[in-house]
Amino acid sequence: MDELDLLKQHWNNEGNFPKVDKEQIRQMLHRSSSSIIKWIFLISVIELLLGLALFFVVGPEETEHSLVYTVGYVVYDIIFYAVILYFIYQFFSSYRRIKNTTSTKVLLNAILKTRRHVDHYIRFNIYCIICSCVFVSVEKLFQRYQTTSTGHFIFTAVLVAVLVSLFCWLFLFVVKLYYKLLYQRLVKKLNRNYDELTSMEQEEPA
Amino acid sequence: MTNDLENDFINLLEEHQNIFHKICKLYTDDVEAHKDLFQEMAIQLWHSYPSFKGDAKFSTWAYRVALNTAISLHRTKKRKVVTVEWDNSLQQVRYEEYNDEQEERLRFLYKAVRQLNDIEKALVYMYLEDKDYTEIAETLGISEVNARVKMNRIKTKLKNMLTQQGGI
């Protein structure tokens, strides 16, 4: 008899559990869930809204710009909103597919996929912010080029390049830290269990 | 949702509550965590109850949702979670207190099973509940062959763990 068969004998007679009565069950049903999905959903919605809010805060300035800048900005706006709408649609449609009655692997995949849409959204926002910085900096430099000497222009260009790089590096560092502290901890268990199931399927049966 | 639906659900949950206590016992180490997981299972089951079709057995449907809760949805908290107060009889779920030799062996076994990962615990649970490999595979979303292979590996793993601990 192996170890699990010994446990099975005891398992079937396991009866010393407490009795949770109907009223206690009723109270439980009206408690708020503290599941991982709830937290992922809340954090994801905050991140989606934050991305949109950031775009409105860092809106276009009320100054005169070159034609290239204005056209570029309009094209950028259209692409930005189209992609944002696509991400929001993807997020909510995959969120609706999360069902705790499916198989464990399908459930884990659905949760991780939903979260991945938000990851891509965040990544897209970061690229957009970096592109905006570069775009605005080039435009400012171009304006300055018309009113300043070449030596002074080169100095300003180098200074701006250093500052923009520094800002981008710091920004990426903060975002990575945020992900490590909050998001990685939240989905660590899901990733671990999904990897376990996937690796079982990849292994050749003995 | 109507009160009738809620009452039906509460009756079924009360009747089959041992299923959830057993899962809690494998996935938690103390009384508070047991209560917390049980409560989350009840909430998750209630949320999905409208999709439960009466032609299936409640216990068959419910254990899958309960396992999914333990594996995918439940987050072990460091802080104290507000749970519905139960009778102190939960203290009788002996996590660490065993008396005679037979119970000492069981203590080692439970301890070893709790050291397995979440997926392995699910396999052990279904094995102990006498589920066939087709159902085990379907519940986890893996092939039947892999479920068998994994189960054999778990048995070996447990044997090694117990030998190292000197339990059996």
Side-chain angles (χ1 to χ4, degrees):
Chain A
M1 181 167 65
D2 67 32
E3 287 72 20
L4 277 180
D5 290 324
L6 179 72
L7 190 58
K8 196 185 262 188
Q9 279 185 347
H10 177 260
W11 184 261
N12 294 330
N13 302 319
E14 179 80 276
N16 64 343
F17 290 118
K19 187 96 175 125
V20 185
D21 66 34
K22 288 189 174 72
E23 196 42 48
Q24 287 161 341
I25 294 173
R26 195 182 302 279
Q27 284 176 41
M28 284 178 193
L29 303 188
H30 297 286
R31 295 267 167 165
S32 170
S33 164
S34 57
S35 76
I36 288 177
I37 293 193
K38 185 185 157 186
W39 286 107
I40 287 181
F41 180 76
L42 286 174
I43 291 168
S44 300
V45 168
I46 290 169
E47 286 174 354
L48 289 169
L49 291 173
L50 208 69
L52 276 175
L54 201 70
F55 187 73
F56 283 114
V57 170
V58 193
E61 298 166 53
E62 294 295 321
T63 51
E64 274 200 16
H65 295 290
S66 65
L67 185 66
V68 178
Y69 183 92
T70 312
V71 171
Y73 213 97
V74 171
V75 172
Y76 175 86
D77 253 15
I78 293 167
I79 295 172
F80 183 84
Y81 281 116
V83 176
I84 291 294
L85 285 175
Y86 170 76
F87 277 126
I88 291 175
Y89 166 76
Q90 285 280 358
F91 171 75
F92 282 102
S93 65
S94 53
Y95 179 76
R96 285 181 61 204
R97 276 187 226 121
I98 298 174
K99 300 261 186 287
N100 60 14
T101 47
T102 55
S103 77
T104 306
K105 196 174 178 186
V106 170
L107 172 65
L108 283 167
N109 190 31
I111 303 171
L112 291 170
K113 201 172 172 183
T114 304
R115 185 55 227 185
R116 243 186 334 261
H117 288 310
V118 185
D119 281 2
H120 293 156
Y121 172 84
I122 297 287
R123 211 168 280 216
F124 173 73
N125 265 288
I126 291 169
Y127 292 146
C128 284
I129 289 168
I130 292 173
C131 281
S132 293
C133 280
V134 175
F135 201 42
V136 171
S137 305
V138 169
E139 163 70 4
K140 295 278 181 205
L141 279 171
F142 182 72
Q143 284 175 352
R144 205 165 178 85
Y145 179 65
Q146 293 165 332
T147 58
T148 191
S149 64
T150 312
H152 194 248
F153 171 75
I154 292 170
F155 171 75
T156 315
V158 171
L159 188 71
V160 168
V162 170
L163 287 175
V164 168
S165 306
L166 210 67
F167 168 77
C168 292
W169 178 82
L170 194 72
F171 185 67
L172 287 173
F173 175 77
V174 171
V175 172
K176 273 185 184 171
L177 193 71
Y178 160 78
Y179 265 72
K180 201 171 181 179
L181 290 176
L182 184 91
Y183 159 68
Q184 294 286 7
R185 274 171 62 187
L186 201 64
V187 292
K188 196 175 161 189
K189 174 178 169 168
L190 300 178
N191 275 326
R192 195 180 54 221
N193 288 339
Y194 188 71
D195 288 347
E196 171 74 14
L197 283 172
T198 313
S199 67
M200 277 162 67
E201 290 298 274
Q202 282 163 355
E203 282 173 29
E204 283 293 315
Chain B
M1 293 188 191
T2 63
N3 280 339
D4 284 348
L5 194 69
E6 189 173 300
N7 289 335
D8 286 348
F9 175 76
I10 290 169
N11 287 338
L12 285 167
L13 194 70
E14 190 199 28
E15 189 187 333
H16 294 95
Q17 60 181 281
N18 268 11
I19 297 173
F20 315 112
H21 286 305
K22 283 178 174 178
I23 295 176
C24 289
K25 190 166 178 177
L26 291 186
Y27 281 88
T28 61
D29 293 323
D30 60 58
V31 175
E32 287 308 314
H34 183 125
K35 280 183 177 180
D36 187 25
L37 179 56
F38 188 98
Q39 181 170 288
E40 188 59 42
M41 283 174 182
I43 295 169
Q44 290 298 328
L45 283 158
W46 174 231
H47 287 168
S48 304
Y49 188 59
S51 73
F52 169 64
K53 294 174 182 67
D55 51 347
K57 267 174 77 181
F58 177 79
S59 55
T60 310
W61 172 81
Y63 92 83
R64 179 182 280 206
V65 177
L67 272 182
N68 271 340
T69 305
I71 295 171
S72 316
L73 309 175
H74 182 62
R75 208 158 62 96
T76 316
K77 288 103 187 161
K78 285 177 182 163
R79 61 182 171 77
K80 191 179 182 304
V81 176
V82 183
T83 49
V84 170
E85 275 309 311
W86 296 2
D87 187 315
N88 283 336
S89 60
L90 183 59
Q91 303 296 342
Q92 290 164 16
V93 181
R94 288 170 295 177
Y95 277 90
E96 295 302 334
E97 302 158 28
Y98 292 86
N99 297 323
D100 59 29
E101 197 185 327
Q102 169 83 8
E103 291 197 328
E104 182 69 8
R105 293 174 74 189
L106 284 167
R107 185 179 74 82
F108 273 112
L109 268 167
Y110 271 116
K111 197 178 166 189
V113 171
R114 282 202 202 97
Q115 285 172 27
L116 299 173
N117 67 39
D118 290 346
I119 305 297
E120 289 170 337
K121 281 177 191 167
L123 275 149
V124 168
Y125 169 79
M126 289 185 274
Y127 178 84
L128 294 176
E129 286 289 317
D130 267 334
K131 306 287 179 194
D132 62 42
Y133 282 102
T134 312
E135 194 175 338
I136 294 176
E138 203 181 298
T139 303
L140 290 177
I142 56 174
S143 71
E144 201 178 317
V145 176
N146 282 317
R148 277 178 198 278
V149 171
K150 188 68 184 172
M151 198 64 231
N152 285 332
R153 285 182 186 162
I154 292 170
K155 284 180 183 175
T156 314
K157 192 173 174 179
L158 280 174
K159 199 169 191 167
N160 293 338
M161 284 162 87
L162 291 162
T163 311
Q164 279 170 13
Q165 288 176 359
I168 293 172

